[in-house]
């Protein structure tokens, strides 16, 4: 069945989410479980109520970008200095461990080497969004294990993106010269992104934020524009939306309006 | 020109809004002027950048519904008792005065009676959204004149909707029996809406809100669902989205979670 227009559809969806959410609350489930259940029930596999996929897709992407933006906003240089090594070691360690053993198990099950490589890498994925949302709901993002988990997840995301980019290039052309080019291109992108962020954080952002902050509302719109914009840029540059939004938040974490932006975005 | 996808389009729009907003701030203009200017520049009359009209339309409608919802949330029975008569008198007085004199002037300019009636009623419109947004930006919604203005505008909105419904029925069929039916139907709708709100506020909402309030996040989603849902219902029943959302806010104004909802929605 369809609805008169998107507005009515969204209203009906929100009503269903509220009902399922309160049932979940009575059963002592975290809200995110109810939200996923509501998504399954409303989606094409059960009721098929959702016809306006484009606006909902947009809202979902903006929500994810803003969540990662807020996570980035909470990281300051002090945390990176203390957590950076731990996050790098655990994140890369888990990716290497899981993908190598996944690769070997898939090989042992009789898969082709390239297929086994894909399965191995696929096994290393964790859902950053689900974990970050759960930690944020329990107000445990600032705890020691919360910080380690988020750092770990971000490192993992970046590693998986790099692995995916390498693999898709590998399956396309297999001679060694191409592989070299892929590595150079990847390194160039990472360096370009880092250089851009450095220039922004050092010279552009402080004055920009100072101008915006004369109006609290404009500051909020600027923050959303910055988060969504860097997410779009991140995807365009071959990283992920999530990594871009995270970087956008991180770049504002050292300004003195961090708390003001954070309070308005998380409510 | 078009964009890769809606996400990039929204990101670009937000960036333009931020730039124009900060220029406006330097020229000491209120933000809403910059926002309208940004809309004109991005819209089809200048740059024509906006291709994804459906998601943007949806966001705009939800924004308007939530703004009116918040205004309703701020009204409690005490304010209505003190402001009700003033709002009714000024609102209806202005509508009657402007439409009668507009009608006479239009007649004197040589228009047909029905045409002159339309012009007269059209002259009485004020933009509720613009005024409410300006008052809210200046934190003057709670001042005496702010309250009178909002009451006035709501009365005016309802009066104009009633006038429009009567006029469209009048231009369709002109015998007196039909006019009587239109009046009865209109009265029935108003009474049905009032009865529904009374039952809701007296028996259903208090328990419902109490259940939702166990989780702050669910309470917020419930509030949005309630505001957007009543807006959709209001439009379906022949009133406006704005009136429905306003009523939704008003119906929650007497619960003890008013402040919690308000703080999370206005940031």
């Amino acid at each position: 069945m369809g609805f008169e227009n998107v507005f009515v559809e969204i209203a009906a969806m929100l009503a269903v989410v509220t009902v399922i959410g309160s049932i979940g609350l009575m059963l002592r489930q975290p809200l995110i479980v109810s939200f996923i259940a509501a998504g399954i029930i409303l989606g094409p596999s059960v009721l098929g109520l959702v016809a306006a996929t484009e606006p909902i897709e947009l809202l979902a992407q903006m929500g994810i970008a803003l969540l990662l933006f807020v996570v980035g906003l909470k990281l300051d240089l002090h945390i990176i200095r203390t957590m950076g090594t731990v996050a790098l070691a655990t994140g890369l360690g888990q990716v290497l461990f899981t993908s190598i053993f996944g690769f070997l198990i898939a090989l042992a099950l009789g898969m082709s080497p390239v297929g086994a490589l894909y399965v191995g890498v696929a096994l290393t994925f964790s859902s950053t969004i689900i974990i970050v949302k759960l930690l944020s709901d329990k107000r445990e993002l600032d705890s020691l294990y919360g910080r380690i988990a988020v750092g770990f997840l971000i490192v993992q995301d970046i590693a998986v993106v790099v692995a995916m980019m390498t693999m898709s290039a590998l399956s396309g052309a297999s001679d060694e010269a191409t592989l070299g080019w892929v590595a150079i291109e990847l390194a160039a992108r990472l360096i370009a992104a880092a250089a851009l962020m450095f220039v922004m954080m050092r010279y552009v952002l402080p004055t920009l934020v100072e101008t915006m902050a004369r109006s609290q509302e404009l500051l909020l719109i600027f923050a959303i524009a910055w988060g969504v914009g860097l997410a779009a840029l991140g995807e365009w540059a071959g990283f992920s939306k999530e990594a871009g939004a995270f970087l956008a938040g991180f770049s504002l974490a050292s300004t003195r309006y961090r708390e003001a932006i954070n309070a308005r975005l998380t409510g």
Side-chain angles (χ1 to χ4, degrees), chain A:
Chain A
M1 58 169 283
F3 282 104
E4 213 180 323
N5 57 41
V6 198
F7 190 81
V8 179
E9 194 175 314
I10 295 272
M13 275 177 48
L14 283 170
V16 172
V17 169
T18 316
V19 171
I20 295 179
S22 49
I23 294 173
L25 218 62
M26 286 171 199
L27 301 173
R28 300 184 184 285
Q29 296 303 310
L31 271 181
I32 195 166
V33 174
S34 308
F35 291 167
I36 294 174
I40 294 174
I41 291 173
L42 288 165
S45 33
V46 183
L47 291 179
L49 271 184
V50 179
T53 42
E54 202 193 29
I56 290 168
E57 187 87 2
L58 173 72
L59 288 175
Q61 288 175 343
M62 288 194 68
I64 292 174
L66 288 179
L67 186 59
L68 266 294
F69 177 77
V70 168
V71 172
L73 206 56
K74 284 182 178 161
L75 272 192
D76 53 25
L77 283 173
H78 174 71
I79 297 182
I80 292 193
R81 223 167 278 153
T82 49
M83 292 292 142
T85 337
V86 180
L88 218 66
T90 52
L92 288 182
Q94 189 266 348
V95 168
L96 283 177
F97 180 88
T98 316
S99 58
I100 289 173
F101 278 85
F103 175 70
L104 292 178
I105 292 171
L107 268 189
L109 289 172
M111 285 186 154
S112 73
V114 172
L117 193 60
Y118 268 96
V119 170
V121 171
L123 284 174
T124 66
F125 273 112
S126 318
S127 176
T128 307
I129 282 301
I130 303 259
I131 298 173
V132 168
K133 186 77 181 64
L134 271 176
L135 284 171
S136 146
D137 283 353
K138 296 183 155 189
R139 304 185 178 285
E140 287 171 357
L141 269 181
D142 291 331
S143 65
L144 179 66
Y145 57 90
R147 287 174 177 180
I148 294 179
V150 171
F152 176 115
L153 287 165
I154 298 286
V155 169
Q156 208 187 59
D157 277 357
I158 295 171
V160 169
V161 168
V162 170
M164 281 298 177
M165 283 159 72
T166 320
M167 268 159 53
S168 68
L170 267 179
S171 63
S174 51
D175 54 292
E176 280 196 16
T178 323
L179 187 61
W181 272 116
V182 169
I184 290 171
E185 201 196 320
L186 212 63
R189 279 183 189 173
L190 284 171
I191 291 168
L196 182 71
M197 288 312 292
F198 180 78
V199 171
M200 276 294 187
M201 284 175 73
R202 194 69 183 261
Y203 303 103
V204 184
L205 274 180
T207 5
L208 207 62
V209 170
E210 221 46 64
T211 318
M212 300 299 165
R214 273 187 279 165
S215 155
Q216 285 293 305
E217 192 179 354
L218 193 62
L219 183 66
L220 183 68
I221 291 179
F222 165 72
I224 296 175
W226 182 242
V228 172
L230 250 68
L233 199 70
E235 199 180 35
W236 173 81
F239 308 112
S240 65
K241 271 200 188 71
E242 288 82 353
F246 176 79
L247 265 182
F250 171 65
S251 69
L252 291 178
S254 48
T255 65
R256 63 199 174 92
Y257 299 102
R258 175 163 78 134
E259 285 311 316
I261 297 171
N262 186 23
R264 292 207 130 204
L265 275 179
T266 53

